[in-house]
């Protein structure tokens, strides 16, 4: 299972903060060196790197092998960041990041590759103590089933990734159904799936009945839908953003999905029912390497570790996703409006990321004038644990608007400091 | 503002209800669904007072007619069609409609003589009895019985398969001839079989003379006719040729007529002394009645277009005149080889013979008789597949009488329509005057079918419906009332050189030509140049300025002139690409403009022409007569043209550089099939005399192949967010002029708004010179705003709402005191209607205020939208504006203004009927029209106050003795547009009551 994601060395907020720190540190450390403390098994080594030219990852890797006297041993490198998170070092970029973040000490933890593959995902001890459950592990764990076959996969921490999809409302849906949210915003990936007409079998009091249904017919390679691993060919589509599609034509369902494409929530009945959420089952250890699909583990983790407040208070099927969808509707209101002061006569420009003062219109009229107005935090980011990821990315866009950047440029920024990693 | 757009052709009769008043219960149910408790119930009550959905009347010509009937006593005409509909027409405004439950073609329609009942035969062999029943002073067409002949057990179905129907003049008997050769006698209206009176084939064949060559097999009953002077005698014509005069009383054959040619029809002359028979070899024979028996009593036999083999004469009629020689009329009989493809009716009187050359296949014809004894033929009524033609037989030259209804809307295919409400009387009269000059070739006689009374009140206002056609014509229809009456026809083709051959007019009757053809009818589906097709129309009813735009990017500005004028129309070419590189237009070329002066007849005369480059189809058009500006848009951009100074003010390219498809020219595959078919048809027409049957086959095969290909494509839909890279994002969908606050909230300025397929809205501020310098100072346009809707759905409508939340009035409306001037004090709002959402923005600073999502919620998309005013049915002075919306699901919605809240929803058109949905136009008063077939508009109303529907009454004729034909007391035509006073109405009611009682006893 491939899960490309935009790696963001920290949450947007975090990276900004750390950048500021980075700018400040050289002033405080005139010697311009980074203290390094590396640990392999029980051994520690201390040494220093030049902050300005730490070299590249390969050099550093070899350096560590030399220092620890473990030439030829395949190891994984990790470092502890300012928050105490254990983050991987496996390429030049995150190596440089690690060096730049060191304040003042860069703590390196070296582990053998054959040891616990999912080390970074789950062994981030400090984080777990803080109650990591809230952020959800969805994106990361989905790779763990595979990671068994391919040892050596690097798995980052959930908050290091831009969320592209999530399973939601596990606690209120039947086990056979799955509600998947695709976060289109921020990625330039196509949603990448096709739907078709088909025949669905329903069990009714009168017996088994065949009714027309809508199914996923194809997943585009490399598309968002495929990359989530949460949707599959022949999955039956039951709802789109909380609205039942029964009785709707293929074209209607298509139009509904396209209209909701910025924040698409589809409820499906997966064709493959083996990976379903084990609902009130035992709190198994499926999370890491269980043969049951990673997806299931996510759900169970979620529903047990952090029962959704919304669903608790509102146990009826007034589903969270719809509420979310509503609040997310604010997002699609961000029509791009160019006022006359930035329009030059007879210039056949198109609305691209020009340097014009592009403003996002919100429903509050004041935000038009000055986008510095602070967005009220989205309700679901508090009440709904499974949407923290979404609110995270929302925040990031808000931040970028604060900066006065256009959406696309902020997007590009993210792409620059992030990486596409393959799990 | 024009929300009306592209072509809508083709197909599909939606189901209409069997009674004339349609489904009133539905809306109530809908209302109930919306009802909630508390204060909302008051709003609900208001909604009921404002909105009510009704399909009211069908305008135009019934699609695929298959049967014709006429009642001389009721003076009503009945047409049945292939989808089982039956329509009755009398005096203009008198219309009834019924639909058989069976979806089978109506093959025969027969009125019971001197009664209000009629019998229909469907091709599933069922017979149906219909009646016109008066209810609350209005007649309704109701089905009151059905019947299926049952043969003896084990008999083949052909025994009871009805081929001929005779409604006996007694009004009590129905004679049914069958394929098996039997004649069944049935009592009506109850459909009781009178077995003892049946005329079986055995009874007949026993008495057939031995020497008759066809006696072994007489074949089916082809014709049944009653002796006009002796109701006891009927003639039974068998397919093989034999005719038998049968005495119903004595139950025996009186006379045998041994014709030997395949029989097509039989006619018994008025005096009862002769029988005419027509045959499949193009001959007809006259036989003496009453002569002893058998033998070659044939008095006269003739093959009128003889020498070479001829086609069958399918129907023959001979009618005497008061003084002078009789009329002989027959259909068909043309020489097979040379004119076998013509659809002709020959009329012969004295030395005059004319072969009326009709435009499509003849379904049936009848003759209306007039004069003191109602014997003189006065008019010939011919129903052909695509139109109804009425010929005045009493005026020299037998001119055509213009039909007040049943006019073929599709004489050339309809490509767009535009509706204008409340036309000022001055413009109305000028259009009528221009139209009258075009109609000089029509007969001056009044419309001869005058049955029933039109009780509908006079239309409260004058409404115009304009239809644009594929051949570059624009038809003006009086859409005020139940009859969609043609007023005037404008042709734009004269401005251009077309590849039409001027000598192509093949119906120029030359002297001495035989047969003596005369072309009648107006149905002409062949367009000489598809580029001429009209795509957009905008008429300013106050100034009389009209702009029309077509398929090849041409925009004509026309003005109404009561005199003919010879003038040159100068073309202004506008390059919409504005230097966009790397495109090559692969579509059609620009139309070639005539450089020499052209003589334009009185009416709308073009004085300015803009040609877009690339010459893509014009997709949006609007006109502001006060500012004298025309805005137009294509898939490449839009422009603003000053028609006073005849120059271009603004060009804006909206094309996305990555959009190659927009340059491909006319797009879809479907269109290309249509084009190729059209071409092959045109080839066929050119070589019409040597019918290239193979070409038809070719065309059919090609069509089938294309269709098969389409069907094989997997039904699979891509789910993808729209992006700026999608195709045709630059296509301009809507253009709108508004005088509003664009830059600051204290100064209103003229502005132009454009919305594209990619969800983009452009606003330009216009600067108009003061009136005294309007002719010489330039008009300028400044870009003011751009809005890119995040959901990127096509923008289909833009409306500016004034401080009261009311839509801005049309140009000149205020100047003519017909609208309240807009509120310029309060803040204006911009309403952007995309296919998916309705969104209100503030002005001048554009910020979203509220919105209504459609697609995200129920998956339907806006196809048509219009602003309408709804008056309350309860209080005269309350009314509100609303948006009328038709979705791709065929549902109608009313959305409130300025709150954009969904008010009501009604299903209207089947969602599969794409062309019906595309053809829909709304009026400013909550009515609308859409095509239910290429030739018919369905009219509907969403308003409780503005409803146009037939309200008419047909009296039961007084049953006098059979020999004298009854005339209705009132002449329906003269009172057609009059309102019947209430006193008169109550009298009528009494009469109806009486006659109904009489009917029951």
């Amino acid at each position: 299972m491939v899960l490309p994601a935009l790696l963001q060395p920290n949450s947007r907020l975090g990276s900004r903060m750390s950048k500021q720190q980075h700018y400040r540190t050289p002033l405080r450390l005139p010697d311009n060196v980074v203290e390094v403390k590396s640990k392999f098994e029980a051994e520690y080594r201390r040494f220093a790197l030049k902050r300005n030219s730490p070299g590249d990852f390969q050099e550093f890797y070899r350096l560590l092998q030399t220092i620890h006297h473990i030439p030829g041993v395949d190891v994984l490198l990790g470092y502890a960041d300012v928050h105490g998170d254990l983050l991987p070092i496996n390429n030049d970029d995150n190596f440089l990041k690690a060096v730049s973040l060191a304040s003042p000490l860069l703590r390196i933890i070296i582990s053998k590759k054959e040891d616990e593959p999912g080390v970074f995902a789950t062994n981030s001890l400090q984080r777990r103590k803080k109650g990591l459950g809230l952020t959800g592990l969805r994106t990361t764990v989905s790779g763990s089933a595979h990671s068994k076959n391919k040892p050596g996969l690097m798995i980052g921490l959930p908050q290091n990734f831009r969320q592209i999809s999530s399973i939601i409302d596990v606690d209120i849906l039947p086990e056979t159904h799955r509600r998947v949210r695709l976060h289109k915003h921020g990625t330039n990936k196509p949603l990448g799936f096709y739907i078709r007409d088909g025949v669905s079998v329903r069990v009714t009091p009168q017996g088994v009945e065949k009714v027309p249904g809508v199914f996923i017919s194809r997943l585009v390679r490399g598309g968002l839908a495929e990359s989530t691993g949460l949707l599959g060919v022949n999955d039956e589509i039951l709802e789109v953003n909380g609205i039942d599609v029964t009785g709707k034509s293929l074209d209607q369902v298509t139009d509904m999905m396209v209209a909701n494409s910025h924040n698409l929530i589809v409820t499906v009945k997966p064709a493959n029912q083996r990976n379903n959420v084990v609902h009130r089952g035992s709190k198994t250890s499926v999370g890491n390497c269980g043969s049951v699909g990673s997806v299931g583990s996510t759900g169970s983790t979620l529903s047990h570790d952090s029962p959704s407040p919304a669903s608790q208070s509102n146990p009826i099927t007034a589903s969270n996703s719809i509420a979310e969808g509503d609040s997310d509707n604010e997002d699609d209101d961000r029509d791009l409006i160019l006022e006359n002061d930035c329009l030059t006569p007879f210039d056949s420009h198109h609305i691209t990321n020009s340097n014009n003062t592009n403003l996002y219109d919100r429903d509050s009229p004041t935000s038009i004038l000055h986008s510095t107005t602070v967005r009220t935090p989205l309700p679901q980011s508090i009440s709904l644990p499974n949407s923290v990821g979404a609110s995270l990315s929302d925040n990031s866009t808000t931040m970028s608007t604060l900066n006065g950047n256009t959406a696309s440029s902020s997007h590009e920024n993210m792409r620059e400091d992030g990486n596409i990693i393959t799990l | 503002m024009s929300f009306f757009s592209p072509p809508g052709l083709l197909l599909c009769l939606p189901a209409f209800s069997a009674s004339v008043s349609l489904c009133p219960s539905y809306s109530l149910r809908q209302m109930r669904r919306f009802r909630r408790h508390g204060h909302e119930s008051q709003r609900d009550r208001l909604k009921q007072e404002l909105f009510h959905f009704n399909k009211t009347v069908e305008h135009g010509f019934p699609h695929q007619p298959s049967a014709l009937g006429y009642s001389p006593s009721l003076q009503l005409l009945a047409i049945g069609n292939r989808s089982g509909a039956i329509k009755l027409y009398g005096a203009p405004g008198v219309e009834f409609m019924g639909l058989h439950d069976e979806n089978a073609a109506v093959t025969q329609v027969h009125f019971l003589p001197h009664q209000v009942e009629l019998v229909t035969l469907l091709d599933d062999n069922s017979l149906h009895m219909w009646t016109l029943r008066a209810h609350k002073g209005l007649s309704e067409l109701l089905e009151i019985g059905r019947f299926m002949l049952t043969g003896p057990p084990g008999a083949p179905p052909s025994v009871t398969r009805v081929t001929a129907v005779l409604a006996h003049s007694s009004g009590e008997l129905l004679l049914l001839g069958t394929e098996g050769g039997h004649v069944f006698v049935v009592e009506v209206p109850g459909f009781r079989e009178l077995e003892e009176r049946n005329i079986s084939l055995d009874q007949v064949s026993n008495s057939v003379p031995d020497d008759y060559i066809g006696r072994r097999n007489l074949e089916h009953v082809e014709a049944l006719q009653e002796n006009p002077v002796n109701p006891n005698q009927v003639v039974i014509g068998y397919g093989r040729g034999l005719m038998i005069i049968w005495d119903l009383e004595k139950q025996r054959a009186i006379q045998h007529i041994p014709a030997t040619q395949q029989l097509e029809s039989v006619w018994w002359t008025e005096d009862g002394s002769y029988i005419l028979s027509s045959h499949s070899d193009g001959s007809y024979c006259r036989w003496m009645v009453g002569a002893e028996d058998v033998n070659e009593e044939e008095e006269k036999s003739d093959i009128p277009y003889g020498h070479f083999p001829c086609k069958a004469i399918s129907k023959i009629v001979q009618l005497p005149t008061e003084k002078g020689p009789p009329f002989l009329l027959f259909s068909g009989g043309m020489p097979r080889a040379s004119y076998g493809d013509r659809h002709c009716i020959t009329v012969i009187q004295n030395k005059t013979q004319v072969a009326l050359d009709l435009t499509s296949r003849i379904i049936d014809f009848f003759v209306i008789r007039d004069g003191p004894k109602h014997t003189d033929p006065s008019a010939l009524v011919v129903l052909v597949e695509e139109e109804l033609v009425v010929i005045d037989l009493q005026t020299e030259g037998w001119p055509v009488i213009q039909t007040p209804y049943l006019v073929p809307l599709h004489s050339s295919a309809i490509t767009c329509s535009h509706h204008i409400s409340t036309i000022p009387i001055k413009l109305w009269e000028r259009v009528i005057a221009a139209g009258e000059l075009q109609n000089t070739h029509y007969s001056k006689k009044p419309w001869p079918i005058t049955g029933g009374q039109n009780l509908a009140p006079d239309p409260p206002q004058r409404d115009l419906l304009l239809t644009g056609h594929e051949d570059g014509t624009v038809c003006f229809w009086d859409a005020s009332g139940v009859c969609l009456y043609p007023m005037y026809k404008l042709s734009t083709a004269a401005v251009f050189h077309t590849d039409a051959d001027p000598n192509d007019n093949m119906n120029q009757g030359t002297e001495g030509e035989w047969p003596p053809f005369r072309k009648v009818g107006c149905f002409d589906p062949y367009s000489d140049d598809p580029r001429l097709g009209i795509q957009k129309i905008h008429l300013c009813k106050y100034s009389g300025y009209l702009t029309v735009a077509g398929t090849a990017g041409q925009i004509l500005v026309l003005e109404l002139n009561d005199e003919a004028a010879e003038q040159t129309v100068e073309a202004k070419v506008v390059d919409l690409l504005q230097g966009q590189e790397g495109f090559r237009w692969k579509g059609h070329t620009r139309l070639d403009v005539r450089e020499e002066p052209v003589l334009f007849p009185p009416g709308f005369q073009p004085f300015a022409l803009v040609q877009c480059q690339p010459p893509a189809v014009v997709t949006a058009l609007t006109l502001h007569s006060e500012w004298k500006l025309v805005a137009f848009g294509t898939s490449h951009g839009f422009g603003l043209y000053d028609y006073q100074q005849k120059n271009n003010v603004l060009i804006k390219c909206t094309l996305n550089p990555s959009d190659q498809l927009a340059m491909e020219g006319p797009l879809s595959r479907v269109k290309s099939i249509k084009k190729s078919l059209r071409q092959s048809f045109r080839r066929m027409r050119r070589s019409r005399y040597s019918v290239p049957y193979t070409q038809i086959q070719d065309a059919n095969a090609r069509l089938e192949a294309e269709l098969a290909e389409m069907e094989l494509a997997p039904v699979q839909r891509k789910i993808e967010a729209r992006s700026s890279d999608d195709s045709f994002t630059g296509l301009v969908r809507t253009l709108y002029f508004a005088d509003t606050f664009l830059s600051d909230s204290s100064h209103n300025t003229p502005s132009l708004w454009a919305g594209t397929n990619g969800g983009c809205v452009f606003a330009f501020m216009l600067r108009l010179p003061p009136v005294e310098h309007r002719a010489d100072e330039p008009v300028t346009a400044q870009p003011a705003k751009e809005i890119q809707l995040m959901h990127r759905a096509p923008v289909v409508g833009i409306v500016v709402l004034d401080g009261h939340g009311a839509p801005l009035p049309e140009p000149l409306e205020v100047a003519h005191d017909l609208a309240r001037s807009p509120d310029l004090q309060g803040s204006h709002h911009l309403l952007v209607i995309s296919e998916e959402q309705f969104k209100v923005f503030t002005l001048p600073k554009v910020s979203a205020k509220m919105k209504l999502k459609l697609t995200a919620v129920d998956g339907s998309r806006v196809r048509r939208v219009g602003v309408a005013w709804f008056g309350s049915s309860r209080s005269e002075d309350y009314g509100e504006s609303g948006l009328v919306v038709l979705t791709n699901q065929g549902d109608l919605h009313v959305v409130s203004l300025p709150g954009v809240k969904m008010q009501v929803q009604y299903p209207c058109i089947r969602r599969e009927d794409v062309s019906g949905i595309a053809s829909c136009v709304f009026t400013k008063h909550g009515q609308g029209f859409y095509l239910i077939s290429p030739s018919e508009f369905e009219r509907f109303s969403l308003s409780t106050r503005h409803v146009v529907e037939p309200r008419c009454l047909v009296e039961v004729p007084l049953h006098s003795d059979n020999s004298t034909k009854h005339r209705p007391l009132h002449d329906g035509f003269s009172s057609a547009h009059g309102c019947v006073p209430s006193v008169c109405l109550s009298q009528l009611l009494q009469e109806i009551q009486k006659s109904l009682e009489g009917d029951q006893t």
Side-chain angles (χ1 to χ4, degrees), chain B residues 28-218:
Chain B
L28 287 176
R29 207 170 59 227
Q30 281 286 345
M31 288 293 194
R32 219 166 284 141
R33 229 181 69 194
F34 284 103
R35 179 164 300 170
R36 290 206 190 78
H37 298 291
H39 64 279
E40 279 186 31
S41 67
Q42 189 171 349
R43 180 65 201 164
D44 283 342
R45 205 177 319 124
L46 194 56
K47 280 188 206 168
Q48 289 189 17
E49 289 165 16
L50 292 170
F51 313 118
H52 180 74
F53 179 66
N54 228 349
K55 290 185 184 177
T56 53
V57 63
E58 290 169 11
H59 298 301
F61 183 78
H63 188 50
Q64 296 183 314
S66 52
L68 175 69
Y70 180 66
S71 167
S73 56
L74 297 175
Q75 300 238 340
L76 287 179
L77 163 87
I79 295 176
N81 78 359
R82 295 243 290 265
S83 40
I86 168 107
K87 295 185 175 193
L88 268 58
Y89 298 89
V94 177
E95 292 185 15
F96 301 97
M97 187 173 71
L99 183 68
H100 294 91
D101 293 339
E102 296 83 356
N103 190 23
V106 179
T107 54
Q108 293 188 39
V109 180
H110 298 272
F111 281 92
L112 300 188
H114 313 294
Q115 299 186 18
V116 285
E117 274 81 40
L118 66 152
V119 175
T120 55
L121 172 67
L122 305 192
D123 73 352
D124 65 354
N125 206 35
S126 61
L127 287 151
H128 300 258
M129 182 66 67
W130 295 81
T131 191
L132 287 166
R133 184 164 291 165
H135 176 67
K136 291 182 182 170
L138 297 174
S139 296
E140 290 177 332
L141 181 64
L142 296 173
E143 187 179 350
I144 53 168
R146 59 184 59 199
F147 174 69
M148 186 90 87
L149 263 187
T150 45
S158 70
V159 167
T160 52
R161 173 98 201 154
V162 179
T163 51
V165 178
L166 172 65
H168 193 258
S169 63
S170 65
E172 287 157 7
L173 294 181
L174 209 58
L175 274 69
L176 306 170
T178 66
E179 200 174 302
H182 305 284
V183 176
F184 293 84
V185 181
V186 175
E187 193 182 73
V188 282
F191 284 127
R192 194 167 67 86
E193 284 185 75
L194 303 173
E195 275 179 45
E196 68 286 355
R197 301 183 71 172
N198 287 352
I199 307 159
S200 77
L201 189 61
D202 304 335
Q203 279 173 282
V204 172
S205 47
N206 287 341
S207 65
V208 174
D210 292 341
D211 54 344
Y212 182 65
I213 52 162
R215 65 168 303 184
R216 286 268 176 81
N217 183 8
L218 296 178

Side-chain angles (χ1 to χ4, degrees), chain A residues 184 189-197 217-218 220 240-241 243 247-262 264 325 329-341 343-351 359-365 368-369 407, chain B residues 577-578 580 649-657 715-722 724 742-743 760 762-765 781-792 836-837 839 841-842 844-851 853-861 863 888-889 911:
Chain A
K184 169 69 183 148
K189 262 189 188 187
L191 284 171
F193 67 104
Y194 288 74
I195 57 172
R196 62 167 172 88
D197 278 318
S217 62
R218 190 153 82 84
V220 177
V240 175
N241 287 54
I243 293 157
K248 290 196 158 60
S249 69
L250 184 65
D251 288 328
Q252 262 175 299
V253 177
T254 307
D255 286 339
M256 285 168 77
M257 287 187 164
V258 172
N260 286 303
S261 57
H262 59 94
L264 182 61
N329 283 351
E330 315 305 320
D331 290 353
D332 81 307
D333 259 344
R334 289 172 302 175
D335 305 325
L336 203 53
I337 293 166
L338 282 88
E339 298 281 354
N340 46 353
D341 49 337
L343 290 167
T344 47
F346 299 107
D347 178 19
S348 63
H349 56 242
H350 297 268
I351 306 182
L359 301 176
Y360 293 103
D361 95 82
R362 293 267 153 58
D363 278 349
S364 58
I368 287 296
L369 292 166
Chain B
L577 286 186
Q578 291 290 291
Q580 283 264 17
V649 177
L650 161 74
I651 300 166
K652 166 85 182 165
C653 180
T654 53
L655 194 65
N656 185 331
V715 187
Q716 186 174 262
R717 297 282 182 274
K718 189 179 187 179
I719 306 299
E720 207 44 78
R722 276 183 223 93
S724 55
L742 206 52
S743 54
C760 197
F762 299 91
F764 283 79
M765 202 193 305
Q782 291 284 323
K785 294 184 195 302
E786 280 183 36
I787 306 168
Q788 173 61 59
L789 298 176
M790 219 48 175
H791 64 288
R792 293 189 184 277
E836 298 186 349
Q837 297 186 3
K839 203 159 186 182
F841 296 89
T842 56
K845 198 79 196 171
V846 176
S847 85
K849 201 178 169 207
M850 51 198 151
K851 69 178 168 189
K853 283 184 166 189
L854 183 70
T855 315
V857 176
D858 72 351
S860 56
R861 301 167 71 86
R863 278 285 172 268
N888 65 341
Q889 302 299 310
R911 68 172 168 224

Side-chain angles (χ1 to χ4, degrees), chain A residues 135-210:
Chain A
T135 42
L137 296 162
R138 294 164 292 281
T139 46
T140 50
V141 253
S142 57
S144 59
H146 247 281
S147 60
K148 240 178 118 187
N149 309 335
K150 277 192 206 166
L153 284 183
M154 299 295 143
I155 299 172
L157 276 168
Q159 66 269 38
N160 300 339
F161 295 91
R162 164 171 289 280
Q163 192 177 32
I164 58 165
S165 66
S166 48
I167 294 191
I168 54 176
D169 296 342
V170 190
D171 42 355
I172 55 167
L173 282 178
E175 289 173 24
T176 51
H177 296 176
R178 181 186 299 162
R179 187 168 288 168
V180 178
R181 179 175 186 163
L182 298 175
H183 302 267
K184 169 69 183 148
H185 49 213
T187 67
N188 52 357
K189 262 189 188 187
L191 284 171
F193 67 104
Y194 288 74
I195 57 172
R196 62 167 172 88
D197 278 318
V199 178
S200 168
V201 179
R202 296 273 160 82
V203 182
T204 63
Q206 289 79 37
V208 177
E209 199 183 328
K210 280 187 176 173

Side-chain angles (χ1 to χ4, degrees), chain B residues 535-536 549-555 574-577 585 588 610-621 631-639 651-656 659 662-663 667 728-735 754-757 762:
Chain B
Q535 297 294 338
K536 294 283 160 192
T551 307
Q554 76 272 30
I555 297 105
V574 168
D575 178 19
L576 286 173
L577 286 186
W585 171 249
H588 46 231
V610 178
Q611 290 189 289
C612 296
Q613 187 61 30
V617 52
V618 176
T619 53
L621 180 72
F632 52 90
T634 71
S635 49
H636 306 114
F638 59 93
I651 300 166
K652 166 85 182 165
C653 180
T654 53
L655 194 65
N656 185 331
D659 187 0
M663 299 307 293
L667 353 148
F728 297 106
T729 50
L731 189 143
V732 179
R733 291 289 294 266
T734 184
L735 288 162
T756 71
N757 227 19
F762 299 91

